[in-house]
């Protein structure tokens, strides 16, 4: 199984770029909670060992790497809210979160490696979309780790306010427990009303 490496970044460094940020988002699929993006500029001399797609790491390993990334790299994390997701759709909202994360990096990056096959509208920085980027680029993998840890903690915090949906374990994804709680407990302000399972409960005949 291949792991992400520094090849894409090194090629850009060789071309004269010096502040290369990996960008990734987490949380397109859940029925509740914000979508979160992170942008990370790794220090080539201090790349944490074991960076990988956040989904392939245990929670303990993600937490350890999260701390290492925050210690050794430049980073920013940003959100797009449930209201924004419902207003502009999840794809545009995830791109909005990416834009916010990139704009929060100071000094600004001079090149972006973006997970996926689309470059968000409105990005002024030269960019490359990288399909399955979190499995190819350590910078994107680092961004995926920060974004996932941040979002998981948001959902743990929201679970304290709205018990019964299992957000502390399912992070707002449509697990059996979550879908049953939607039927039995109803829709919270943190649910995405534009998502079909939530919409159908709100507008049952």
């Amino acid at each position: 199984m291949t792991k992400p490496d520094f090849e894409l970044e090194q090629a850009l460094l060789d071309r004269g770029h010096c502040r290369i940020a990996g960008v990734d988002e987490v949380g397109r699929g859940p029925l509740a909670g914000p979508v979160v993006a992170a942008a990370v500029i790794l220090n080539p001399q201090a790349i944490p060992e074991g960076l990988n797609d956040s989904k392939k790491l245990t929670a303990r390993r993600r937490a350890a790497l999260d701390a290492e990334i925050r210690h050794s790299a430049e980073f920013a994390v940003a959100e797009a809210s449930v209201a924004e997701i419902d207003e502009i759709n999840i794809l545009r909202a995830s791109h909005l979160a990416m834009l916010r994360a990139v704009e929060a990096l100071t000094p600004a990056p001079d090149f972006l490696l973006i997970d996926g096959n689309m470059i968000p509208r409105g990005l002024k920085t030269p960019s490359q979309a990288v399909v399955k980027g979190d499995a190819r680029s350590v910078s994107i993998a680092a961004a995926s780790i920060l974004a996932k840890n941040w979002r998981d903690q948001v959902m743990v915090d929201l679970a304290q306010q709205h018990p019964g949906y299992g957000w502390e374990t399912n992070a707002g994804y449509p697990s059996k427990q979550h879908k049953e709680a939607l039927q039995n407990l109803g829709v919270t302000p943190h649910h995405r009303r534009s998502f079909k399972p939530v919409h159908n409960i709100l507008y049952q005949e």
Side-chain angles (χ1 to χ4, degrees):
M1 184 175 63
T2 59
K3 288 194 173 177
D5 56 38
F6 199 66
E7 282 186 18
L8 290 170
E9 292 87 343
Q10 189 60 56
L12 290 162
L13 289 170
D14 293 344
R15 280 163 44 191
H17 294 286
C18 58
R19 293 180 57 75
I20 301 150
V23 186
D24 200 4
E25 52 74 27
V26 171
R28 283 198 197 182
L31 304 179
V35 61
V36 175
V40 177
I41 300 174
L42 291 173
N43 176 351
Q45 275 71 54
I47 298 173
E49 292 271 334
L51 289 174
N52 207 341
D53 174 357
S54 62
K55 298 183 290 295
K56 296 177 181 172
L57 300 167
T58 64
R60 178 180 286 187
R61 188 74 188 111
R62 274 199 310 272
L65 283 167
D66 186 286
E68 286 189 54
I69 295 161
R70 289 170 178 272
H71 178 71
S72 64
E74 297 176 61
F75 66 91
V77 183
E79 300 180 6
S81 68
V82 167
E84 288 169 327
I85 291 167
D86 286 340
E87 183 180 346
I88 62 177
N89 80 40
I90 185 59
L91 175 64
R92 297 291 167 224
S94 65
H95 285 179
L96 180 60
M98 286 181 170
L99 278 169
R100 286 172 174 162
V102 169
E103 288 169 357
L105 279 174
T106 52
D110 63 12
F111 200 94
L112 306 174
L113 294 169
I114 297 172
D115 185 56
N117 61 1
M118 292 180 69
I119 291 171
R121 295 176 186 168
L123 267 184
K124 298 177 177 65
T125 310
S127 307
Q128 177 183 345
V130 185
V131 175
K132 297 193 184 330
D134 42 15
R136 293 179 57 196
S137 156
V138 283
S139 299
I140 296 176
S144 81
I145 290 165
L146 291 192
K148 179 161 177 53
N149 272 21
W150 178 289
R151 190 178 186 285
D152 283 355
Q153 187 56 55
V154 167
M155 297 311 296
V156 167
D157 294 344
L158 289 177
Q160 310 302 310
Q161 303 168 35
H162 300 277
Y165 297 89
W167 293 343
E168 66 279 7
T169 54
N170 64 43
Y173 282 86
S175 67
K176 184 169 182 283
Q177 178 189 6
H178 190 179
K179 289 190 285 188
E180 286 177 353
L182 261 176
Q183 292 287 352
N184 298 328
L185 302 175
V187 176
T188 73
H190 304 289
H191 277 102
R192 301 172 179 181
R193 283 154 169 71
S194 56
F195 278 43
K196 197 168 185 180
V198 182
H199 185 273
N200 288 351
I201 286 169
L202 284 170
Y203 300 101
Q204 284 171 339
E205 294 295 331

